[in-house]
Amino acid sequence: MLLGALAYNCGPGVVNKSSILKKLRRGDRNIFKEYTAHCRYKGKWHKQLHQRRLTEFAALYVR
């Protein structure tokens, strides 16, 4: 579900090349840092996108 949200927002190409997917395939579930790093728009870091990633991570990953 978390990768689906990222693919919807960033595109499936981003997810397929991401370190998040590589880590999950290895069985490593420590992806917080990598997931929340996807908060750039036109090459610049955006506070609102970072907040969105934090919210998505909390809602979809942590139970």
Side-chain angles (χ1 to χ4, degrees):
M1 186 98 165
L2 191 61
L3 292 178
L6 187 61
Y8 178 77
N9 290 304
C10 297
V14 171
V15 174
N16 288 334
K17 296 176 186 176
S18 72
S19 59
I20 298 167
L21 186 58
K22 292 174 189 170
K23 282 182 111 175
L24 289 173
R25 285 185 175 157
R26 287 193 315 253
D28 186 355
R29 296 186 61 163
N30 187 17
I31 61 168
F32 177 79
K33 183 177 176 183
E34 289 81 4
Y35 188 78
T36 56
H38 290 275
C39 56
R40 294 187 177 276
Y41 178 70
K42 294 186 178 182
K44 294 186 179 186
W45 186 84
H46 278 257
K47 182 179 178 181
Q48 292 84 4
L49 287 176
H50 183 70
Q51 185 61 43
R52 176 191 281 181
R53 298 296 174 254
L54 292 174
T55 303
E56 288 171 350
F57 191 85
L60 300 173
Y61 189 75
V62 178
R63 294 194 187 243

